[in-house]
Amino acid sequence: FKGKQRNFVETIDLQVTLKNYDPRKDKRFAGTFKLPAIPRPNMKICVLGDDIHCEQAKELGYPFMAVDDLKKLNKNKKLVKKLAKKYDAFVASQALIKQIPRLLGPGLNSAGKLPTVVGANA
């Protein structure tokens, strides 16, 4: 449904209470779920991936960067900042996620755009 046009970004906070769950004893957990409607259809996403994910991104027409491309940035703060500004979000291969802070430095993290892990079959 189409609501009234707003001049600000609407957000939603979700608070969940879990019964029979002891946060001191039980480990943290994280999960994702698909929304029924696309909240940001024009969102620009860049794939930071290994050869397989880069190939898939190329086939689907998504922008991507391989390890060699990330090494070329050489932790240059201006280039990393420019990269962070260019895209709304990043997804990265499981194999690459731990290397990203080493390759790019803290730039993406300080921009609040740390990549989300993409699964092997995604």
Side-chain angles (χ1 to χ4, degrees):
F1 74 97
K2 226 20 177 168
K4 191 172 93 179
Q5 181 64 39
R6 306 269 197 272
N7 293 329
F8 59 91
V9 177
E10 292 184 77
T11 61
I12 188 169
D13 289 328
L14 179 68
Q15 197 166 15
V16 180
T17 306
L18 301 172
K19 292 182 178 173
N20 302 324
Y21 176 76
D22 183 7
R24 289 178 299 246
K25 194 172 64 185
D26 300 323
K27 296 280 182 240
R28 286 184 181 194
F29 57 90
T32 57
F33 65 96
K34 262 190 179 154
L35 295 172
I38 301 169
R40 291 171 65 185
N42 301 333
M43 191 171 179
K44 291 192 292 269
I45 298 174
C46 181
V47 177
L48 310 175
D50 53 20
D51 298 336
I52 298 162
H53 286 128
C54 286
E55 195 62 42
Q56 287 175 340
K58 188 190 271 184
E59 286 172 18
L60 295 169
Y62 287 114
F64 63 91
M65 293 183 87
V67 180
D68 298 334
D69 302 326
L70 297 176
K71 283 179 181 169
K72 285 177 195 164
L73 295 176
N74 204 11
K75 287 192 184 178
N76 183 327
K77 281 186 182 170
K78 281 186 179 171
L79 291 175
V80 173
K81 210 173 202 176
K82 199 172 173 183
L83 177 71
K85 267 198 173 126
K86 193 174 175 185
Y87 298 104
D88 296 318
F90 294 91
V91 292
S93 304
Q94 179 75 52
L96 206 63
I97 198 82
K98 286 184 171 60
Q99 295 176 21
I100 286 169
R102 271 200 307 262
L103 294 168
L104 299 179
L108 285 183
N109 197 15
S110 60
K113 295 184 180 175
L114 211 60
T116 307
V117 177
V118 64
N121 57 359

